[in-house]
Each structure stands twice: as structure tokens, then as C-alpha cells.
Amino acid sequence: MNNRKRLMENVIHGIFLVLGLITVGCVLLITLYLVISGIPAIRKIGVFNFFFGKKWASTAAQPQYGILPFILTSIYGTAGAIVVGVPIGFMTAVYLAKIAKPKVKNVMETAVSLLAGIPSVVYGLVGMMALVPGIRIAFHIPDGASLLAAIIVLAIMILPSIIKVSLTALEAVPKEYEDASLALGATPVETYFRVSVPAAKSGIAAAVVLGVGRAIGEAMAIMMVSGNAPNMPKIFQSVRFLTTAVASEMSYAADGSLQKQALFSIALVLFLFIMLINAVLNFFLKQNKE
Amino acid sequence: MKRWITFAAISSLALVVMNGCGQTDSKAVSTDGSTSMEKVIGALGEAFEENNSGVTFTYNPTGSGSGITAVAEGRCDIGLASRNLKEEEKAQGLTETVLALDGIAVIVNPDNPVNDLDLETIGKIYMGEITNWKDIGGDDLEIVLIGREAGSGTRDGFESITGTEDACKYRQELTSTGDAMGAVAGNPAAIGYASLASVKETVKALSIGGIVPAEETVRNGSYVVQRPFVLVTRSGTELSGTAQKFFDYITSPEANEIISSAGAVPVNK
């Protein structure tokens, strides 16, 4: 009987191990697949031409595969979303954690969670119908589909992750710190910004990095508002991101063509970007623990 | 344990059967070519499979040129091209049969006063030689060029008909007909193109050189922004039984309804 019990235990351990390995296996498989299918095109096109070429014309008679516009657009777009989104998200988190009355806090937290649950295609649709024409009219430009529209959509999309993670970090600040500051005569606002925020800074940094990760990987929503033409990025210019470059051409690219291989190479570049961001995120989270 | 063995036996049997299907050539018909024909040939293939149990239909979207090469080399039964065959291709012993016609509508915002353009003007607009609507009888607005993504069949068709291959100065490259129409509907200065069958009232389809785009004008050839969907076969060689059956079916009037609902204009009566 005892033996049988032990066998059962072992079997269940084995099952859990296999289930755990599924995730690991998927990551390894995807990484391997991307590297194997992404490297040949970079080699064929040439590292310099691929990364620093300014022109992408994959279906032209003389195809050109330069992804500098996509890389810069992804960096500018993400940076823009951070510049717009982080102050709003951060201030909201400070307000919710320290100032808001419980009732207000409840309502606002629900709203933030709802914002996180909206599918990205809906962001894109609303952006296309309201934001793009709005930008066109507000700035008197011929067409509103631009880097600016993408930045605004991304900024709104990263708000929930920034608010939630910074909120958790701020709420974890020991009450004694704040009490001590208040007892020394600091005003509440002084206390929040001089004591609570510095104490929660690594958590807030993690929130920002998480926002970067979300913004750089988004495709669907920005595909619908950014115009999707492979131009070098300018604020009112129609632009194409790394993600949308892959998404928009993949369905038509013929198997085995250089175009399809180049799309995999773009995916590989994007993957490396996201890995880098994850590494930075882990670094901040570790600091937070110590 | 017994159950597992039965399950394993059944699944391996199923695999064998599925493999078998792929290998029996007499029951299969393979097509290869134009990506623009995906919708039409896909719908026809599905209907054919439904009506004839046991046959398999395959379609390899490689582009018109590759499709023609594939049929010339005998790698598929029927090649698909969204253009007429060139003389030298016919000289290789290939025959073309027009399956349907594809009309492409040039669309603008309903508020745009322009109703008619000719093909040359459209080419100039898309190549960036004409940049303001006031130069062609419209309001003083900079023209916003809406197009489709590289590789799209509609884009390929539009650019080859207007002679603007690889030269279009697109402001937006959108990935679906719906998005393209949405962008044109939302901007009074926009011009775009879409497959004729999918045009809705949210946008205005321009007449080209005075000819209104419609099924009738596409069929009689007076509406010029159109191209043929062509079936390419080898002249001397006979098709296999199933392939011949498929060919007869899709060129018969029976298939017309499927062709129309897939967005093209059928030509066979």
C-alpha cells in the first residue's frame, strides 16, 4: 500500500514536471525557430543594409530590405508613449495610493481594470474612427494617421500596467516612514513625493519597463492608426513599426522567398528588443526585493 | 488499458487514411498562382469538394508568374494568373481560359466634388505628380493616397493597370479592404481603391473616363480598371479526370453565383 502511494506521488510529480516543461519548451522552440528562420535573410541582405538601410520595398522589382525606419519608429513610438503615459499613470497611482477616498479609489481602480481588459483591436478601431480624424482637424494636416496617433493610443494602452504596478509599490511603503515624516512637520504632499515615492522607486521603475514592453510589442491597434507606410519616423508622418511590418506582409509573402525570411528577421530583432526589456525588468524587480 | 490500445489503433488508422488522400493523384486537383484569385478559387474549390466526396483541392498562392511557371513545368494541374498570357508564354504551349473579370473601383470621400477621372490622371495622382484636388476640379485640399499593403492582389492589380508599379507615394498602406474604405470615408481629401464588389455607400466610386464601374461595364470591357482571372493549362496535354471535372465545373454557368459572391464578375454563360 505504501509503495503504491509513493508511486502515485511520483506519477503526479512527473505530470507537474511535464506541464511545467511545456512552457519552457515553447519558449525554447520559439527562440530556436526565430533564430533559425531569421538569420539567413540578414546574411543574404547584409547586416549593414538590413539594420541601417532606410528603404523598405519588399515587393518592388529591385527589392530593398532596410529596417532602420521600423526600428526608429518602434523606439520613438515607445518613448513617446512613455513620455505621455508615465506622468499620467504615475500621478494616478500616487493619488489612488495616498490621497483618494476609499469610494473614489474603488471606482477608479475598477475603471483602470476595465481599461486593461479592452482588446487592442477596439483601441485601434476607436483610434481610427475618432483619433485619426481628430488629429487631422486639430493640426490642419492632410491626414491624421501618424506617429502621433500611435503614441496616443499606446500611451492609453500602457496606463493600466503602469498604474497597477506603481500602486502596489506605493502601497507597500511602510506606514512608519510616512508617519515619521509627518511627525517631523512635512506636509502630506511633501511626504508623498520625498518619502513614499523614493521608497517605492524600484517598483515604479518596473512599472515603466513593463509599459515599454507592452508598447513595443503591440501591433493590432497601431496598425490601424499609424498609416503603415514605411517612412522614416516624423511626428505627423505615416509610419510602420517593427510589429506592424511583420503583421502586414506576412500573410502574402510566398514561402521560401527572401521577403518572408526578412519578415522573420524583423521578428527576431523585435524578439531581441523584448528580451532586453525583460532583462531590465528582472533587474529592477530583484533590486526591489533586496 | 484496452481503451488506450483501441484509441491508438484508430488514430494511426486515421493518419494512414489521411496520408492516402494526399497521395492518390487521380482524386486530387492542384492549382498554383495568383494571390488575387485566392477568394474566388478558394470558394470554387470548397464547393467542388462539397459536391464530390473524396476529392481534394489544393491552392498554392505564389503569384501569377510562379503559377504560370508551375503549370508549364507540370508541377500543378491548373495555373492561375490575374493577367492575360504573354505571347511568349503561349508559345511555350500554354492555353488561357478566362474564368472571371475583376473590377477595381477608385474610391473617394462622398463629400469630394470630383466624380470622374481618367486613367492617366489617376496614375499621376498616385505617383505624386498631382498633389492637390484643386488641380483636377476639386477643393483646395492636399490629396491623401490610401493604398493596400505590398503583396495585396488589389494593389498589384491597381498598380499594373495604372502603370504605377513600385512608384506609388502612399500615405497609408492598410491591410484590408474594410480599413481602406474606412480611411477614405473618414477623410475628405482621400483617394483609394478597392475590389468593386466590396464597395459600400460610405465611399464614392469614381467613374473612369465617363464610364461608371458596374458589373455590366466590367463585363463588356468599357470600364478599364479591370483585369482578367485566367486559368492556365498545357495545350497538348489532357487534364486528369478530376482536374478536368473541376475545370468544367468552374467554367460552367453553375459556378457563376459563387464567383460573384467572391467578388468577381463571371464571364461564362
Side-chain angles (χ1 to χ4, degrees), chain A residues 157-197:
Chain A
M157 290 185 81
I158 63 173
L159 273 183
S161 26
I162 291 180
I163 294 175
K164 279 187 168 171
V165 178
S166 349
L167 185 60
T168 317
L170 283 168
E171 280 177 341
V173 175
K175 193 144 190 324
E176 292 80 10
Y177 289 17
E178 285 160 17
D179 288 344
S181 162
L182 290 170
L184 286 173
T187 65
V189 172
E190 273 173 351
T191 305
Y192 304 145
F193 284 98
R194 297 264 172 88
V195 177
S196 315
V197 170

Side-chain angles (χ1 to χ4, degrees), chain A residues 41-248:
Chain A
I42 299 182
R43 234 192 237 156
K44 248 181 258 173
I45 297 159
V47 174
F48 186 83
N49 286 339
F50 185 68
F51 286 101
F52 297 103
K54 289 184 182 169
K55 195 159 186 267
W56 175 268
S58 56
T59 55
Q62 247 117 37
Q64 275 175 291
Y65 302 95
I67 66 162
L68 189 65
F70 306 156
I71 295 178
L72 288 182
T73 301
S74 273
I75 293 174
Y76 289 1
T78 309
I82 293 298
V83 168
V84 177
V86 166
I88 300 174
F90 170 67
M91 293 300 177
T92 311
V94 173
Y95 173 74
L96 287 178
K98 304 295 171 196
I99 306 168
K101 292 190 182 108
K103 249 189 194 164
V104 180
K105 188 179 168 183
N106 265 343
V107 173
M108 282 181 87
E109 275 202 280
T110 317
V112 170
S113 303
L114 273 178
L115 195 63
I118 295 173
S120 58
V121 64
V122 175
Y123 282 100
L125 201 65
V126 174
M128 194 177 179
M129 294 304 167
L131 186 63
V132 170
I135 288 177
R136 172 170 59 80
I137 293 161
F139 294 97
H140 301 287
I141 49 174
D143 189 31
S146 57
L147 182 59
L148 179 66
I151 286 177
I152 294 173
V153 169
L154 284 176
I156 296 170
M157 290 185 81
I158 63 173
L159 273 183
S161 26
I162 291 180
I163 294 175
K164 279 187 168 171
V165 178
S166 349
L167 185 60
T168 317
L170 283 168
E171 280 177 341
V173 175
K175 193 144 190 324
E176 292 80 10
Y177 289 17
E178 285 160 17
D179 288 344
S181 162
L182 290 170
L184 286 173
T187 65
V189 172
E190 273 173 351
T191 305
Y192 304 145
F193 284 98
R194 297 264 172 88
V195 177
S196 315
V197 170
K201 68 170 187 288
S202 62
I204 292 166
V208 173
V209 180
L210 202 67
V212 173
R214 173 105 208 250
I216 205 165
E218 177 53 41
M220 192 68 217
I222 49 176
M223 191 148 146
M224 297 167 83
V225 299
S226 67
N228 219 13
N231 297 316
M232 290 298 265
K234 270 187 215 137
I235 193 82
F236 290 127
Q237 182 69 272
S238 156
V239 291
R240 198 184 285 186
F241 290 73
L242 284 169
T243 46
T244 50
V246 179
S248 62

Side-chain angles (χ1 to χ4, degrees), chain A residues 58-62 128-129 132-133 136 142-146 223-224 227-231 236-238 240 248-249 251-252 254 259, chain B residues 35 38 60-62 142-144 146 148-153 155 166 170-175 178-180 182-183 186-189:
Chain A
S58 56
T59 55
Q62 247 117 37
M128 194 177 179
M129 294 304 167
V132 170
R136 172 170 59 80
D143 189 31
S146 57
M223 191 148 146
M224 297 167 83
N228 219 13
N231 297 316
F236 290 127
Q237 182 69 272
S238 156
R240 198 184 285 186
S248 62
E249 287 185 17
S251 56
Y252 284 111
Q259 184 194 5
Chain B
T35 49
E38 181 166 10
N60 196 7
T62 54
E142 195 184 315
I143 301 174
V144 174
I146 310 289
R148 292 290 304 280
E149 78 280 25
S152 150
R155 166 162 161 172
D166 308 331
Y170 291 114
R171 167 77 204 194
Q172 289 198 46
E173 293 182 27
L174 298 163
T175 49
D179 284 354
N187 190 336

